[in-house]
């Protein structure tokens, strides 16, 4: 099993460009999450999907959109990238919501110039 | 103010030392997690606690619900334990994690 996979691993964007970060899990998990990690700050939740067909905002959703394409895949889209979105993005999944152990992808390092 | 505070922020230890990392939180929680972030960036879950104590190999995690405090202990530390250790809490009946900023541990041979 690959666990949680993310693409791309690294991306450079210019301000105003758009891109989609892809995430997939092969553990048949119901819940999936997108986080960002910035220096000196803890991981912060951007959006989550408790189950296929549902998505909810987390702590820092502004500037992002998500799609739960199916049970396996959860994508994060930046419509118009800004330098403040320079960060490392992690996708995670868990069997269910409610505090269950989360399994993390390897991360995507995004630089917005 | 972050709802989850970890101490120390940075820790350097000699190989073989006993290590303690602390986590305090200010809200009611249903669970607390300890995670390890490797130097390459990957994050793995170590423990999930709602009460008491758990042990896995050289790692021990404890939680005191009344005092809103948890500790992660590493016995007989080894250079391969060098990583960032992150505490995360789950509030009440919610499903969102709230993370501490992490403790960066370096174990010197």
């Amino acid at each position: 099993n690959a666990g949680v996979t993310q693409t791309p691993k690294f991306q450079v964007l210019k301000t105003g460009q758009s891109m989609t970060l892809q995430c997939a899990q092969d553990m048949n998990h119901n819940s999936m999450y997108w986080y960002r990690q910035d220096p000196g700050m803890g991981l912060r939740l951007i959006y989550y999907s408790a189950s296929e067909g549902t998505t909810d905002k987390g702590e820092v959703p502004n500037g992002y959109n998500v799609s739960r394409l199916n049970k396996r895949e959860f994508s994060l889209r930046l419509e118009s990238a800004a330098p403040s979105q320079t960060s490392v993005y992690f996708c995670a999944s868990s069997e269910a919501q409610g505090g269950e152990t989360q399994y993390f992808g390897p991360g995507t390092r995004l630089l917005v110039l | 103010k972050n709802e989850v505070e970890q101490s120390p922020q940075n820790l350097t230890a000699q190989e073989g030392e006993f290590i303690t990392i602390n986590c305090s939180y200010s809200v009611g929680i249903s669970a607390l997690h300890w995670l390890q972030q490797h130097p390459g960036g990957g994050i793995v879950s170590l423990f999930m606690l709602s009460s008491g104590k758990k042990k896995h190999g050289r790692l021990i995690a404890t939680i005191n619900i009344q005092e809103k405090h948890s500790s992660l202990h590493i016995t007989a530390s080894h250079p391969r334990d060098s990583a960032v250790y992150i505490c995360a809490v789950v509030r009440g009946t919610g499903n969102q994690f709230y993370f501490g900023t992490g403790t960066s541990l370096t174990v010197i041979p």
Side-chain angles (χ1 to χ4, degrees):
Chain A
N1 289 350
V4 180
T5 57
Q6 291 182 235
T7 56
K9 286 187 168 54
F10 180 71
Q11 183 74 44
V12 179
L13 291 178
K14 294 181 180 176
T15 297
Q17 287 185 318
S18 62
M19 78 162 296
T20 300
L21 281 65
Q22 306 286 355
C23 173
Q25 52 90 9
D26 62 2
M27 295 174 282
N28 202 35
H29 285 169
N30 289 304
S31 299
M32 297 185 74
Y33 311 83
W34 276 106
Y35 296 98
R36 61 178 289 173
Q37 186 178 41
D38 301 295
M41 305 188 75
L43 287 153
R44 291 182 293 169
L45 182 65
I46 305 171
Y47 270 93
Y48 68 98
S49 171
S51 61
E52 187 179 354
T54 68
T55 61
D56 286 287
K57 294 178 181 179
E59 187 182 351
V60 289
N62 291 346
Y64 305 96
N65 285 300
V66 290
S67 295
R68 184 74 183 267
L69 304 168
N70 47 56
K71 193 170 185 179
R72 288 188 65 247
E73 298 172 288
F74 189 38
S75 62
L76 178 72
R77 182 159 178 85
L78 287 71
E79 290 291 351
S80 179
S84 60
Q85 294 179 303
T86 293
S87 188
V88 181
Y89 292 85
F90 287 95
C91 177
S93 70
S94 64
E95 192 170 320
Q97 56 181 329
E100 298 286 328
T101 296
Q102 295 189 6
Y103 297 83
F104 287 80
T108 293
R109 194 171 294 271
L110 176 66
L111 175 61
V112 183
L113 302 173
Chain B
K1 183 181 182 298
N2 200 352
E3 292 169 341
V4 182
E5 299 283 347
Q6 288 186 237
S7 63
Q9 280 189 304
N10 297 287
L11 181 57
T12 301
Q14 290 292 134
E15 184 173 355
E17 284 186 5
F18 180 86
I19 289 162
T20 296
I21 299 169
N22 297 298
C23 176
S24 297
Y25 52 91
S26 57
V27 295
I29 67 168
S30 58
L32 182 143
H33 292 254
W34 282 102
L35 305 113
Q36 180 191 55
Q37 185 167 25
H38 300 292
I43 300 172
V44 295
S45 180
L46 297 174
F47 294 104
M48 180 175 75
L49 295 161
S50 54
S51 64
K53 176 179 174 178
K54 286 191 177 178
K55 184 175 189 288
H56 185 256
R58 295 180 294 106
L59 301 178
I60 303 165
T62 64
I63 188 168
N64 185 318
I65 297 292
Q66 286 74 27
E67 294 186 4
K68 293 187 167 62
H69 182 268
S70 175
S71 293
L72 176 67
H73 306 286
I74 305 175
T75 62
S77 59
H78 189 276
R80 64 175 175 266
D81 297 325
S82 297
V84 175
Y85 292 84
I86 301 169
C87 173
V89 301
V90 183
R91 283 187 190 163
T93 56
N95 54 17
Q96 294 190 33
F97 280 38
Y98 295 87
F99 296 83
T101 54
T103 294
S104 180
L105 170 66
T106 302
V107 181
I108 299 170

